[in-house]
Amino acid sequence: MHDMTACQRGHTLNRQELAADERREKRQILGLSLPAAAIILILLVIPVGWLFALSFVSNGEIGLANYARMVEYSAYLSIFSTTILVSLFVTLLCIVLGYPVAYLLGQLPPRLATIGLAFVIVPFWTSILVRTYAWLVILQRQGIVNDALIGIGLIDEPLRLAHNLTGTIIGMTHVMLPFLVLPLYATVRNIDGDLMRAANNMGASPARAFRDVFLPLSMPGLIAGSLLVFILCLGFYVTPQILGGGRVIMVSMKIQQNVQTYFDWGAGSALGVVLLLIVFAIFYLVHRLAGLDRIFAR
Amino acid sequence: MACSITIRDVRKTYGQFVALDSVSLDIAPGEFLTLLGPSGSGKTTLLMILAGLIRPEAGSITVDGDEILRKPPHLRNIGMVFQNYALFPHMSVGENVGYPLKLRKVGAAERYERAREALKLVQLDHLMDRRINQLSGGQRQRVALARAIVFEPQILLMDEPLSALDKKLREQMQIELKHLHDRLGMTTVYVTHDQREALTMSDRVAVMNHGHILQVAPPRQIYERPSDRFVADFVGESNFLPVEMRDGAAIFGGTALQLAEGQAAGSGNKALLVRPEKLDILSAAPAPEHNPIDGTVEELVYQGETMLIYVTLPGGETIALRRGTRQQALSEMPQVGEPIRLGLHRDDTVLIDEAAHA
Ligand SMILES: Nc1ncnc2c1ncn2[C@@H]1O[C@H](COP(=O)(O)OP(=O)(O)OP(=O)(O)O)[C@@H](O)[C@H]1O
Ligand SMILES: [Mg+2]
């Protein structure tokens, strides 16, 4: 102990070996993630890159023609704004409908919560196509809803619920709801009940404790769920196609039209690229506003 | 200013399991009362019921004569340190401590000042801006403590508020809490596993087991005159020697014991409670007021400030006694295997009902 040189040696002892260990550990981690990286490369990076390249090809010529068209024709602007507005509205509806569901499930004893969760998940087992046609049956002019409303004398004329924006939004909300409820539920379930109790104990009414404690702590799940829903909505095709009755044109439908009707892969790709950029922009915006890393790191 | 609390026949069950079985307790205004009991005995449950966070099946709790059982928790104005701290992870240390003040509409500047004041008391005022997940366990516990006292509640409940601290800091905090209590005079219900803490800090100690309160008394009485075997066993170290009661005399090892006043009553089987530090080693000189107990030294355990000596008695029981470790005492220490004669002063005899040991 009193020997200075021994102390100094002790200080550097094993330094190189420990550093080597750390490097080896890093290599191992890198090695383990290699297969996943390869799959992402093959399934995601290459196709998106291909899409990106294609978007610059128009009538066999390389250039910005596909993008120029989007600026020239105002129809494109309205398609994009419809897509974003419908997606926003559906996301909002999902939050309004899904938050209470997730909250309730979070409060239930585990056994009941599992049963409740099953009801949220079951629709996943039915194809979106089937569910969408089911809504058509329910909402159309001679559908169940209109028949019932006329039957009890509430209305004389059938309401226009399908083949328009209303139908699209009802159908999309139904499909999207689980995507909001599941991540939100996972977060809400993990909020320690004692935190709410502590807030109550310190003098917060139940409403106040919800606002000050529960809501902020549920934010990561809410933001994750909302982002998921919004982004899925942006590219949604089946439900707006069937329930929109041609009155609601979303970007996905335009892409389909370009590719299938006009065989214009370039135009379709360009739309896809813009959609992707919008998604990135939204991620960036949420990140700037809410600090994604801070929220998810907690 | 301080409130009295009256608890009457409070009962709480979880399914078949009885967590609290007709608990009754009177707490005087400004009293420092400690609940002491083994894990699972219902201490936290009782505190939660007082705070209104668990609803009991039956019973009544009044504060200054007013029934509070049906009052919602946020209107009770009772401070509480949760056993698991329950700090808000999305708020900084300062925001956590300031939160009760915010709810009481205290302005930001004053809030900051008072939060700092409370944190200073627990020696954490330098960490006001930290996030909760950047604190050590003991620091979290102290933040929880600061948050419970910052709004100077008239009733303060503390569920093992010092359990995560090292011995030295814990003893400092005990003194701080004691001073705070003297200064503010709030009625305090304190929970601890640590019997020394209970004996040091409390005006009275309530010993609990299996959802019952077994004895409520000042520390000295709890330790010196425990009402039953569980209390005697749980608080402090204890040897129990079987005693037969015959015609008002207590027979141990064939001879009648000299008893302290008021100990002779009763009949049937009893046990003599012997605390290790109450035993003397008898020398050759006669000691007329001591009950002699003969045995053989079995083992010596050095524990720093004291030495524990295990002695086997002819009846097969082992009892322990404690000696200080001054050099002189150490040199006179008996050796393993040697015969030894112990003496228990008659004023230190305590008889415990064996039947009470359920
Ligand atoms: N929600 C619950 N459901 C079922 N049993 C419970 C529940 N909460 C507590 N208990 C039981 O009630 C009993 C008393 O619990 P309590 O938390 O009051 O014990 P405690 O005295 O505070 O123990 P510790 O010293 O370990 O904190 C325990 O046996 C516990 O298992
Ligand atoms: Mg407890």
Side-chain angles (χ1 to χ4, degrees):
Chain A
M1 276 302 217
H2 297 289
D3 185 354
M4 268 312 282
T5 54
C7 267
Q8 280 163 354
R9 216 179 317 124
H11 189 65
T12 53
L13 200 67
N14 272 339
R15 175 172 287 191
Q16 277 165 13
E17 286 86 340
L18 288 172
D21 279 356
E22 190 171 334
R23 279 196 301 276
R24 184 147 40 82
E25 204 166 292
K26 277 187 183 151
R27 274 201 303 277
Q28 269 170 5
I29 291 171
L30 212 66
L32 284 174
S33 54
L34 220 56
I39 289 175
I40 289 176
L41 185 76
I42 295 169
L43 293 183
L44 200 71
V45 178
I46 294 177
V48 169
W50 182 238
L51 191 78
F52 190 70
L54 267 182
S55 71
F56 294 103
V57 179
S58 177
N59 293 328
E61 283 171 40
I62 293 177
L64 290 173
N66 290 326
Y67 292 98
R69 196 179 319 123
M70 268 186 252
V71 182
E72 263 165 55
Y73 295 97
S74 64
Y76 281 97
L77 185 67
S78 97
I79 288 171
F80 273 105
S81 65
T82 303
T83 306
I84 290 174
L85 285 178
V86 165
S87 301
L88 266 180
F89 195 71
V90 170
T91 307
L92 214 67
L93 264 181
C94 281
I95 292 173
V96 171
L97 295 173
Y99 200 102
V101 174
Y103 179 83
L104 188 73
L105 288 177
Q107 306 302 308
L108 289 177
R111 279 190 51 159
L112 283 178
T114 313
I115 296 173
L117 208 57
F119 279 103
V120 176
I121 295 172
V122 159
F124 270 136
W125 295 340
T126 326
S127 102
I128 293 181
L129 204 62
V130 173
R131 276 185 280 161
T132 303
Y133 275 115
W135 273 115
L136 201 58
V137 172
I138 293 170
L139 296 176
Q140 66 193 343
R141 280 180 75 87
Q142 274 97 43
I144 299 166
V145 173
N146 275 322
D147 283 356
L149 287 178
I150 292 172
I152 58 173
L154 220 57
I155 50 172
D156 300 325
E157 281 286 296
L159 296 175
R160 317 187 103 264
L161 295 174
H163 304 300
N164 58 10
L165 191 62
T166 315
T168 306
I169 284 174
I170 292 175
M172 281 175 74
T173 304
H174 172 239
V175 172
M176 289 300 164
L177 208 47
F179 292 103
L180 185 106
V181 171
L182 289 179
L184 186 57
Y185 169 75
T187 308
V188 162
R189 182 93 245 172
N190 283 324
I191 296 177
D192 182 0
D194 269 352
L195 295 179
M196 291 289 276
R197 274 182 221 118
N200 282 153
N201 170 252
M202 283 178 269
S205 64
R208 184 76 199 261
F210 176 82
R211 199 192 81 191
D212 289 350
V213 178
F214 197 90
L215 193 62
L217 287 177
S218 70
M219 265 310 160
L222 187 62
I223 289 179
S226 308
L227 268 182
L228 197 61
V229 168
F230 184 73
I231 287 164
L232 285 173
C233 280
L234 284 180
F236 212 176
Y237 174 74
V238 176
T239 303
Q241 174 74 20
I242 294 172
L243 283 170
R247 290 187 182 83
V248 185
I249 310 286
M250 307 253 296
V251 176
S252 55
M253 290 149 79
K254 191 72 192 166
I255 293 176
Q256 195 263 358
Q257 194 186 41
N258 273 325
V259 172
Q260 212 131 62
T261 314
Y262 307 130
F263 299 104
D264 189 347
W265 285 82
S269 298
L271 282 169
V273 168
V274 172
L275 203 55
L276 195 63
L277 289 178
I278 291 176
V279 170
F280 283 150
I282 283 160
F283 258 110
Y284 181 73
L285 217 67
V286 174
H287 170 70
R288 286 307 297 266
L289 289 179
L292 277 187
D293 42 357
R294 199 161 49 86
I295 286 174
F296 289 117
R298 200 155 51 211
Chain B
M1 164 72 195
C3 313
S4 66
I5 306 173
T6 309
I7 303 170
R8 281 285 165 273
D9 296 321
V10 166
R11 185 181 161 82
K12 173 71 195 171
T13 56
Y14 292 108
Q16 295 290 310
F17 179 79
V18 183
L20 286 181
D21 192 1
S22 282
V23 166
S24 296
L25 191 60
D26 290 291
I27 307 171
E31 185 173 10
F32 195 115
L33 181 115
T34 298
L35 301 176
L36 182 64
S39 190
S41 55
K43 307 180 296 290
T44 299
T45 308
L46 185 55
L47 284 200
M48 290 288 210
I49 289 174
L50 278 170
L53 302 169
I54 291 181
R55 199 191 302 274
E57 263 100 78
S60 143
I61 298 178
T62 58
V63 170
D64 284 343
D66 299 328
E67 178 68 49
I68 61 161
L69 261 193
R70 299 185 56 200
K71 210 173 183 180
H74 66 279
L75 299 179
R76 291 194 188 188
N77 207 29
I78 295 178
M80 176 152 175
V81 182
F82 284 70
Q83 187 166 13
N84 60 3
Y85 320 151
L87 297 172
F88 303 128
H90 60 298
M91 298 183 192
S92 69
V93 168
E95 287 167 344
N96 261 282
V97 177
Y99 186 64
L101 300 175
K102 193 174 179 183
L103 292 172
R104 284 165 181 74
K105 304 201 164 51
V106 175
E110 189 190 341
R111 209 157 68 213
Y112 180 85
E113 228 13 78
R114 284 173 66 180
R116 211 167 54 93
E117 203 66 23
L119 282 165
K120 200 172 190 158
L121 206 72
V122 296
Q123 304 172 16
L124 285 178
D125 48 325
H126 59 293
L127 295 183
M128 278 194 88
D129 298 323
R130 281 268 183 95
R131 295 239 135 217
I132 298 304
N133 61 8
Q134 296 165 337
L135 298 179
S136 76
Q139 288 170 339
R140 285 176 206 200
Q141 195 163 35
R142 283 182 282 158
V143 174
L145 190 57
R147 193 179 62 175
I149 59 180
V150 73
F151 63 103
E152 306 189 348
Q154 293 181 13
I155 297 175
L156 181 57
L157 313 175
M158 293 185 267
D159 202 343
E160 304 190 28
L162 308 178
S163 60
L165 307 184
D166 59 83
K167 187 163 176 289
K168 198 161 169 186
L169 191 56
R170 182 158 64 223
E171 281 165 6
Q172 273 175 25
M173 287 295 129
Q174 287 172 1
I175 292 169
E176 289 291 354
L177 276 179
K178 212 46 203 155
H179 287 170
L180 188 79
H181 179 250
D182 291 344
R183 191 155 51 82
L184 300 178
M186 65 279 196
T187 308
T188 304
V189 184
Y190 193 91
V191 169
T192 180
H193 273 143
D194 181 345
Q195 33 138 329
R196 182 186 289 272
E197 191 168 289
L199 297 177
T200 320
M201 301 187 67
S202 325
D203 294 323
R204 284 191 305 157
V205 177
V207 180
M208 291 187 72
N209 192 29
H210 294 314
H212 290 274
I213 292 184
L214 299 176
Q215 185 176 10
V216 192
R220 195 175 274 232
Q221 199 178 336
I222 290 277
Y223 189 77
E224 305 289 348
R225 292 286 179 269
S227 64
D228 71 10
R229 179 149 180 165
F230 179 85
V231 177
D233 201 17
F234 190 74
V235 183
E237 293 167 302
S238 28
N239 305 296
F240 294 100
L241 299 177
V243 177
E244 200 184 329
M245 297 302 287
R246 214 183 290 151
D247 309 327
I251 316 289
F252 172 71
T255 50
L257 293 168
Q258 308 181 63
L259 295 178
E261 244 169 272
Q263 290 293 310
S267 60
N269 288 336
K270 293 207 174 195
L272 178 67
L273 166 66
V274 185
R275 304 277 194 203
E277 74 284 358
K278 309 269 189 210
L279 283 167
D280 282 322
I281 298 177
L282 294 188
S283 52
E289 300 203 313
H290 280 77
N291 295 296
I293 302 172
D294 288 307
T296 313
V297 177
E298 167 95 14
E299 199 179 350
L300 300 173
V301 178
Y302 176 76
Q303 292 185 326
E305 80 273 31
T306 56
M307 188 105 163
L308 211 51
I309 306 170
Y310 289 99
V311 173
T312 310
L313 305 187
E317 308 92 353
T318 300
I319 66 175
L321 75 144
R322 231 173 235 297
R323 302 264 86 188
T325 51
R326 282 175 307 174
Q327 285 307 317
Q328 196 199 352
L330 281 177
S331 64
E332 290 168 359
M333 206 62 81
Q335 296 304 304
V336 173
E338 284 179 3
I340 189 171
R341 166 164 284 198
L342 308 175
L344 179 67
H345 195 278
R346 70 164 189 223
D347 289 348
D348 289 322
T349 51
V350 179
L351 289 179
I352 306 271
D353 271 327
E354 278 290 45
H357 178 56

